[in-house]
Each structure stands twice: as structure tokens, then as C-alpha cells.
Amino acid sequence: MKLKVYTYRLSQPSRAVLIFCKLNGIDFEEITVDLIKRQHLSPEFKEINPMRQVPTIVDGDFKLFESHAILRYLACAFPGVADHWYPTDHIKRAKIDSVLDWHHSNLRHGAVTFLQNTVFAPVLGIQPNPHVAAEAEKKLSASLEKIETFWLQENEQFLLGNTQPSIADLSLVCEIMQLEVLDEEDRNRILGPHKKVQQWIEDTKLATRPHFEEIHRLLFEVKAKLQEQRLLGANTETEFGL
Amino acid sequence: MKLKVYTYRLSQPSRAVLIFCKLNGIDFEEITVDLIKRQHLSPEFKEINPMRQVPTIVDGDFKLFESHAILRYLACAFPGVADHWYPTDHIKRAKIDSVLDWHHSNLRHGAVTFLQNTVFAPVLGIQPNPHVAAEAEKKLSASLEKIETFWLQENEQFLLGNTQPSIADLSLVCEIMQLEVLDEEDRNRILGPHKKVQQWIEDTKLATRPHFEEIHRLLFEVKAKLQEQRLLGANTETEFGL
């Protein structure tokens, strides 16, 4: 039975899993769970994942969620995935695990909280909290600085001084791509100071084309729509609907 | 060269790594990095881990931080670790990875933020934020409920319906043990409703004795000191020093 991948292309970890599958020739069926239409709250999806999160995969009888766990599983269980994505060598693998674990409470926490308290607040039906947004921006900027000065310190193209991308590059770059929906001023303030990070994003895009662009197309459509609304001075709350 | 483990026994992930090493007969040297004395900020420790976090291990030339990555590495790289801790079977391993990844943004985030904004605020020199504490308690309680109703649903002793503990049991139970420093009212309100969680904590203690108790001794000393101060109505800010 073909692997089923439940995703939403506006979810950054969903995009990482989709790009990984396409890059590695994994045969799969993509099933969209539209978070804005609240499809993750349906009884049908609760059967698939009681945590109601995307991405989720179903491989035969086996259901799995949490994108890092999914990426590790796909790299190990599917034949033909190149070793650089998640090396079998214990030390190389542990370094990638270290980046992935660091991601959760740092880059991911900062980026998600900032976006939830700015651009996505109206979509989520929450009142944006400027204090929380400011704290989240600090965390996000500190995380980008750590990537710039620590994880990318070896002057190689990818994290940890690697010459080929790993699942950590894919996961973290997809996270940062979510900042595309910010207005230019916010995005430049946050990403502008981090030149190595910007180059690494470009290198990851190149190493994963054409799938990276294809899977990010919906995000860029939303970005264009949001920019249009900003220019028109429209009410974001009522106009965001995709 | 013997494995070096940089830890602080009041740090919950440090305790998980120490218990794991002791249980599995891994020969190691424990080096205390006293977070309250700000030893993690020393130039010496920055050389070991520029992120200034414990636990950190040094195995020969290899330095590693992030406790889940450390536990995975130790389970795979050291001979003699029983398979149940982190199984080689892809599906069993992926399930454990899923719990570990879930932990970061749920149980860990809730517990750490709640403790930082209550008991530990004076030690950390921060102003506790009651609104943040209330939100963190919601996240913490929701996480405990997910453990109770989802991760422990199979009516077996350990997470995922396992009959023997994994590194996920160890990591999550050590996290919850940190709640021992709360006053009884707070702790009962948060943990009281979760009977299966309480039983699972006891089962994990039993499965990992006598190391679990030994490694948690310092935490219980701090708990006793805090209770004494509460009874005396002492100023926690000036009296917490260990």
C-alpha cells in the first residue's frame, strides 16, 4: 500500500516532509488537510492523528506524526535515500539530531510564536499580543544568530560543515521560509543581518530544486495576496481567506 | 578516554542522561556545572558547549549537547545497552522519536515556563509573569492529559504500550519530577487528576532504581528547603541559595 502523507503546504514541517519524499523518489499519496478550513479538527482526521497535527504519515498500518520523527523514519525505512540526509554513522547522526532537537525550543518556537502574534493572528482568531511578539522576535533573532555563528561556522554550504544537505537543513530552512509572509520591513529587520543564513537558504533551494519551489508555491501565493492587501490597506481579518 | 558528562542534577534532562549512563553500565566521569553559580557562563564551559547548556557530553573529540540527541547517541554507540531503550526496529524507534519530539513543545515547554514563572523566578532573577504562568499551566496540564489518554493508552506500564522503559519514559518522567519543587497545592492541582501518569512515574522509578533515587536526591533536598522556607514564611528570593 502506498505511503500516505497528510499535509498542508502552508505548514512548514509539512513542506519539509513533502520535499524530502519527492527528492528521494518515495512513492506517496499527498492528502491535504486544510488547517484554515479546520479540516484537522474533523472526526476522520482524528482517527488518523488524535493530536490533530500535520504532517502525519500512514505507512501500511503504521501512523506517525512529528515531522522530525517522520523524516528520520523515511530516511531509515525507505531504500534509496542517500546517506547524507541522515547518516548511519553514529557521530554524524548525533550531530544532526542535536540540530533537530535544538530547533524545537529555539528557531521553531521563536518563528511560530512571532507569526502567530503578527500575520497569522487574524486567521487563527486570536488577539495578537505585542509583548509576546517582541519576546518571540528576540528568540527568533537569537536563533538565526546561532545558526549564523555556530551551526554554519565551518564555511561549508550546509549545517555542521556538511557539503550535502541533511534533514536538519531541510527542516530549518522550511521553518525560515515561513517568514516570507511577513511584510518586507519586518522580514528585512529579522533576516537582514544574517548573510550566511541567507546564502544557506539559497544553497538549500538549489540542492532541492525543482521540488523546493513547487512545494513552496502556495506560500508565495499567500505572500502575494497579503502584500496586495497591505497596499490596499484592506482589513486583513476579513480578507485573508484563501 | 572515559566519557565526560557535564551535568547539573537540578536540571531534568541532565538527570535523564545520568540515570541512563548508570543503568547501562556506561563508564563516565560526571562533571558538575552549577547553573545557580552561573558556571555554565564560564569561558571554560563555553569551549565545551558554546550554547552553554547542560547536559553536554564529550566522547573523545566529539562534543554533543541536547539531551535527546545524547540519549540516542549513547544507546547506539555504546555496546551493551538493551534494545528496549531505543530499538533498532524502524517502527518502534520512530514511535519513540515521535514522543521525544512531541515533548519539546508540549510537556517541556509547559513545565519549564511554569516553573520559571513561579518557584524559579527569584533564582533566575526574573520577574514572574502570572499571565505567562497561567498559560504555561494550561499547556502543562494539556500535556499531562495527552500522556494519560494517548501515550499511555495501551494499559501497559510504559509509554506507547511498551512493557519496558525507553529513553522517552526516562526523559519525560525526569521532566515531571521537576514539579516536586512546587508547593503541595500547585502540585496536587496539576498532577492530581492524572492517575495513570502517577502510576507510570512510580513504574519508571522502580524500573530504574536505585539510580533514579540517587540522582534525584539533590532535587528532594531543594524541595525540603523550599518547604521549610514556605513554613517559615521566609523570603524565597534571599533564602533559596543551596
Side-chain angles (χ1 to χ4, degrees), chain B residues 101-130:
Chain B
D101 285 328
W102 173 85
H103 180 200
H104 287 283
S105 306
N106 292 282
L107 178 65
R108 178 156 185 77
H109 182 66
V112 167
T113 311
F114 184 72
L115 287 163
Q116 282 177 347
N117 282 277
T118 52
V119 181
F120 288 144
V123 192
L124 297 166
I126 62 171
Q127 193 64 32
N129 181 327

Side-chain angles (χ1 to χ4, degrees), chain B residues 23 84-85 157-158 163-165 201-210 212:
Chain B
L23 274 169
H84 64 82
W85 288 109
Q157 280 183 296
F158 299 105
T163 53
Q164 287 178 294
I201 293 169
E202 292 310 311
D203 290 337
T204 304
K205 280 182 192 173
L206 271 176
T208 58
R209 66 180 175 184
F212 194 97

